[in-house]
Amino acid sequence: MKRLVIAYTFLFLTFLSFSQKTDASFIERIDRDTSYRVAGLRYTIFSSPLNTLQSLLTSTDFARLDEYANSFEWYIKTVRPNSHWEGSTSFGFHSRLTSNKQALNQASLIGFTANFETGYNLTKEKMFTVKPIFGIGFEYYKLSFVENFQSSSLSSFANSDFKNYSATSFQVPWTFGLEMGTSFQLKKILIELLLRGGYKLHLDADKWKIDGVLEISDEINLSSPFAGLSVGFSLLERRQIVYLKP
């Protein structure tokens, strides 16, 4: 995680140092009196150690979960050229599995997420974007356990002591982070490329229940640093583009 912090600090200083006014004489500019929506895809890696859960799995002869969790999101946001503030909504799928697919006892963690973020663009009207972000999420997670897994064939289930049970949790995490990147225009298409990093905070009060009824006593906190990449685009209308002569 130390390397991640150093990398993002370097990128932040680089973008801030080399940000400069966009040369409007040779490109098309967006009308400041209009707003436009950007839709895109986002890939994020979470690196929570999940020490309590991993120790529990090891002590009960379960395969450990992978070191990182992966999240895939679709997002949409509204951008107003005359404002530094931007707001976005995203919906995604979160997964943390195990690479040991041959283990008799396995666990998996999946989630379905909805997040709402706001950000303040520190480098408005410049080539690069540096934007602190803050958000809140409404997320549903399912932690599944499989015991005595022989193979994926139906016959193996019938002739073994196969067991499958799960614990679920609804959580409301907070997100704090930084987005950095750039955007460029290809005719009427605006494309943005953003790197993002930060921390997602899951409060300790989050509860996990087996079959939605029995509350488990073990603490499973998903709070984690994260790093990701976003790629978005917007189809601009003719009225939103101002054509400037060289």
Side-chain angles (χ1 to χ4, degrees):
M1 197 57 218
K2 183 179 180 181
R3 293 180 180 178
L4 181 64
V5 174
I6 295 175
Y8 271 89
T9 301
F10 173 77
L11 288 173
F12 172 77
L13 296 176
T14 300
F15 286 150
L16 199 60
S17 299
F18 289 96
S19 293
Q20 54 186 324
K21 289 288 184 179
T22 302
D23 188 354
S25 299
F26 299 98
I27 66 174
E28 301 169 350
R29 293 187 57 190
I30 300 173
D31 191 344
R32 294 180 58 83
D33 294 328
T34 66
S35 63
Y36 58 94
R37 287 184 173 85
V38 178
L41 297 175
R42 179 182 298 149
Y43 171 66
T44 308
I45 296 178
F46 293 88
S47 59
S48 171
L50 290 179
N51 291 328
T52 300
L53 178 57
Q54 297 283 38
S55 298
L56 178 63
L57 293 175
T58 302
S59 64
T60 54
D61 295 325
F62 273 77
R64 291 174 61 89
L65 293 174
D66 291 339
E67 185 177 357
Y68 299 104
N70 299 290
S71 174
F72 299 89
E73 296 175 283
W74 173 81
Y75 71 91
I76 186 169
K77 67 180 180 181
T78 300
V79 179
R80 296 177 176 84
N82 59 359
S83 174
H84 286 264
W85 291 98
E86 298 177 6
S88 68
T89 302
S90 64
F91 301 92
F93 176 75
H94 180 105
S95 68
R96 188 165 183 171
L97 308 177
T98 178
S99 299
N100 187 1
K101 301 299 183 182
Q102 305 303 318
L104 290 177
N105 303 323
Q106 302 180 25
S108 63
L109 175 67
I110 63 171
F112 299 92
T113 63
N115 288 277
F116 306 91
E117 291 182 355
T118 184
Y120 187 82
N121 192 344
L122 299 176
T123 55
K124 196 71 174 178
E125 295 184 352
K126 294 184 179 181
M127 182 178 297
F128 295 105
T129 296
V130 178
K131 180 173 58 181
I133 56 175
F134 169 78
I136 185 173
F138 299 92
E139 306 181 347
Y140 174 83
Y141 290 92
K142 181 178 181 180
L143 179 60
S144 298
F145 301 90
V146 173
E147 291 187 44
N148 299 317
F149 176 76
Q150 301 292 336
S151 72
S152 58
S153 66
L154 292 176
S155 60
S156 67
F157 297 151
N159 298 319
S160 68
D161 296 327
F162 177 82
K163 296 180 181 179
N164 185 14
Y165 47 96
S166 62
T168 59
S169 178
F170 177 77
Q171 304 188 9
V172 184
W174 298 89
T175 299
F176 308 88
L178 184 71
E179 279 190 340
M180 299 175 293
T182 188
S183 59
F184 54 92
Q185 189 175 325
L186 296 176
K187 295 185 179 180
K188 293 184 179 181
I189 301 177
L190 186 71
I191 300 174
E192 69 171 17
L193 299 173
L194 298 173
L195 294 174
R196 53 193 274 122
Y199 194 84
K200 178 173 281 191
L201 176 64
H202 292 256
L203 301 178
D204 290 338
D206 297 332
K207 303 298 182 181
W208 293 79
K209 295 182 178 181
I210 298 176
D211 293 333
V213 178
L214 300 176
E215 188 172 299
I216 62 177
S217 59
D218 300 282
E219 179 181 311
I220 303 175
N221 195 321
L222 301 180
S223 296
S224 175
F226 66 86
L229 170 67
S230 300
V231 179
F233 70 94
S234 178
L235 296 176
L236 302 176
E237 299 177 7
R238 180 175 293 275
R239 65 182 180 82
Q240 294 176 311
I241 302 175
V242 177
Y243 294 89
L244 301 180
K245 297 180 179 181

